[in-house]
Amino acid sequence: MPEPRLTRVLVVDDDPLLCELLRVTLAIEGIEVTAAHHVIHAEKLLAESVPDAIVLDIGLPGVDGVFYCERLRESPRTKRLPIIAISGSEDAGVMAVAAGAGAFVHKPFDPLQLVAVLERVAGVAPPEGAATAEAGELRRLIAIAQRQHDLLVDAYRQTLEALVDALASRDFGTGAHSRRVCAYATRLTIEVAPWLVDDPTLEWGFLLHDVGKIGIPDRVLLKPSSLTETERRCVEQHTLIGERLVGHVPLLAGRGIGVIRSHHERWDGTGYPDGTAEADTPVAARIFAAADALDAMTDKRPYRQAVSWDEALTELTKERGLQFDPDVVDSMIACEPDLHATYESMQAHAAAA
């Protein structure tokens, strides 16, 4: 009787490049890969047919991967399906296994390692008679695919870094704002939603939140006096311009692009561009909105002077439940010493430069 074999695997990961790498790797093993970049797509594919196993990224946009793993274990159709969790966080991996994953593989990983784990968890045997020479050729092909993946990621990274620099050259003549607010938002994320830290797209979303301002005329962007209503509407387009500029870049394909589009939404629903309220705005964007406001108030701008750190915190507290998510404001107060230490460190570095 022939040994059971894996023939089809569903990969749920918001990194298209990683999905392609796994597709190439598993295809060499005779395993077909179907990729889904978010939970809704995965659910649609599972409704059509059930694969032999699932490779599940924990840092998914929208629905958290740990929660989705629990949901898969509750469904009669996927209750016993082998699930391999992948993540850059050991803590996330532990939570995934507790939620029902059969194994955890830490990112970055050797694709051959993932194949071995898949076969072990699925209880299938590797191909009979796999010669050492064939294994060496497989590893060589995977190495080529990995190198191509790394080169493409590096090219995207260089492009995004160039955009950060281009934005810095226009946005008040300094790149310090993007770096400071990125540091604030990252610390706040650890406090508010630590499971988001595993998403590599967030840092790029934080750094490039205002990339759409490249499309705003200098006479409006750098105007030293109050904006007219028409000028204000023009500036508000930068969130949509930014999304169009970098929305196709895989390094922003997770929650990062949501930050770029939605960081000017308000808790009370009066923000832009979509007027979303409360939890309808992505949590990463809600976190960033408070971090951005803190830096905006404590940094000198062409149209006004900076306020003190304490004054900025007082203003943020007054806007709790109005402009800002109450949980985010409370978390900001809780980790305020860390935020202020970052502010002082960057101020000292700028003065020394």
Side-chain angles (χ1 to χ4, degrees), residues 29-96:
E29 289 287 315
I31 301 171
E32 177 188 352
V33 168
T34 305
H37 301 316
H38 49 75
V39 167
I40 294 175
H41 188 200
E43 285 289 283
K44 181 176 182 296
L45 293 173
L46 287 170
E48 295 170 356
S49 62
V50 178
D52 298 319
I54 295 176
V55 176
L56 176 63
D57 180 27
I58 299 306
L60 289 171
V63 178
D64 175 69
V66 172
F67 174 81
Y68 187 51
C69 188
E70 293 175 340
R71 179 172 175 176
L72 289 170
R73 285 296 176 237
E74 292 169 357
S75 171
R77 300 182 74 229
T78 56
K79 184 176 182 179
R80 303 188 186 282
L81 202 63
I83 299 175
I84 311 301
I86 57 176
S87 172
S89 164
E90 291 287 348
D91 290 341
V94 171
M95 289 190 293

Side-chain angles (χ1 to χ4, degrees), residues 1-330:
M1 183 174 178
E3 293 282 354
R5 293 286 312 280
L6 283 171
T7 59
R8 194 161 62 85
V9 170
L10 172 63
V11 176
V12 188
D13 195 298
D14 57 345
D15 181 352
L17 299 178
L18 180 61
C19 289
E20 179 61 17
L21 175 62
L22 292 180
R23 186 193 67 77
V24 171
T25 301
L26 296 178
I28 296 172
E29 289 287 315
I31 301 171
E32 177 188 352
V33 168
T34 305
H37 301 316
H38 49 75
V39 167
I40 294 175
H41 188 200
E43 285 289 283
K44 181 176 182 296
L45 293 173
L46 287 170
E48 295 170 356
S49 62
V50 178
D52 298 319
I54 295 176
V55 176
L56 176 63
D57 180 27
I58 299 306
L60 289 171
V63 178
D64 175 69
V66 172
F67 174 81
Y68 187 51
C69 188
E70 293 175 340
R71 179 172 175 176
L72 289 170
R73 285 296 176 237
E74 292 169 357
S75 171
R77 300 182 74 229
T78 56
K79 184 176 182 179
R80 303 188 186 282
L81 202 63
I83 299 175
I84 311 301
I86 57 176
S87 172
S89 164
E90 291 287 348
D91 290 341
V94 171
M95 289 190 293
V97 172
F104 163 64
V105 177
H106 193 283
K107 289 184 179 180
F109 52 79
D110 180 345
L112 283 181
Q113 174 198 8
L114 183 64
V115 172
V117 173
L118 269 170
E119 291 175 337
R120 174 175 61 79
V121 174
V124 302
E128 292 185 7
T132 303
E134 292 175 344
E137 179 65 10
L138 175 60
R139 186 171 291 278
R140 186 184 71 83
L141 291 172
I142 291 173
I144 292 172
Q146 181 70 59
R147 178 61 176 161
Q148 290 174 334
H149 173 271
D150 292 344
L151 287 173
L152 191 52
V153 168
D154 189 57
Y156 278 125
R157 183 176 292 109
Q158 289 182 37
T159 300
L160 293 182
E161 287 174 351
L163 281 172
V164 172
D165 292 340
L167 180 61
S169 70
R170 297 195 66 230
D171 193 11
F172 320 120
T174 176
H177 164 67
S178 290
R179 304 294 175 184
R180 279 195 310 269
V181 80
C182 180
Y184 297 159
T186 299
R187 177 62 186 89
L188 262 180
T189 300
I190 295 171
E191 195 76 20
V192 179
W195 61 88
L196 294 182
V197 177
D198 191 40
D199 186 342
T201 73
L202 270 188
E203 181 180 6
W204 288 113
F206 294 159
L207 286 171
L208 289 165
H209 63 283
D210 276 344
V211 67
K213 286 184 177 179
I214 290 175
I216 306 300
D218 283 349
R219 60 179 175 77
V220 176
L221 184 64
L222 303 179
K223 186 178 179 181
S225 56
S226 299
L227 300 179
T228 66
E229 186 59 33
T230 299
E231 290 169 338
R232 188 174 303 280
R233 285 198 298 269
C234 175
V235 170
E236 289 178 357
Q237 290 299 305
H238 79 273
T239 57
L240 301 178
I241 294 171
E243 183 184 45
R244 288 196 297 271
L245 277 174
V246 297
H248 65 287
V249 178
L251 292 182
L252 281 153
R255 296 179 177 89
I257 198 65
V259 172
I260 291 174
R261 180 183 180 96
S262 302
H263 67 281
H264 281 291
E265 300 291 358
R266 292 173 50 110
W267 183 254
D268 60 12
T270 62
Y272 64 88
D274 302 307
T276 54
E278 300 186 3
D280 288 339
T281 302
V283 62
R286 302 199 308 268
I287 291 169
F288 185 83
D292 192 32
L294 175 64
D295 190 68
M297 285 188 282
T298 55
D299 188 31
K300 181 180 178 180
R301 296 297 170 87
Y303 46 86
R304 58 155 176 76
Q305 294 295 315
V307 303
S308 72
W309 183 264
D310 289 341
E311 287 174 314
L313 288 176
T314 298
E315 187 60 31
L316 281 159
T317 302
K318 287 197 307 189
E319 289 295 321
R320 182 186 183 279
L322 298 174
Q323 182 173 352
F324 305 114
D325 180 340
D327 288 342
V328 173
V329 174
D330 293 345

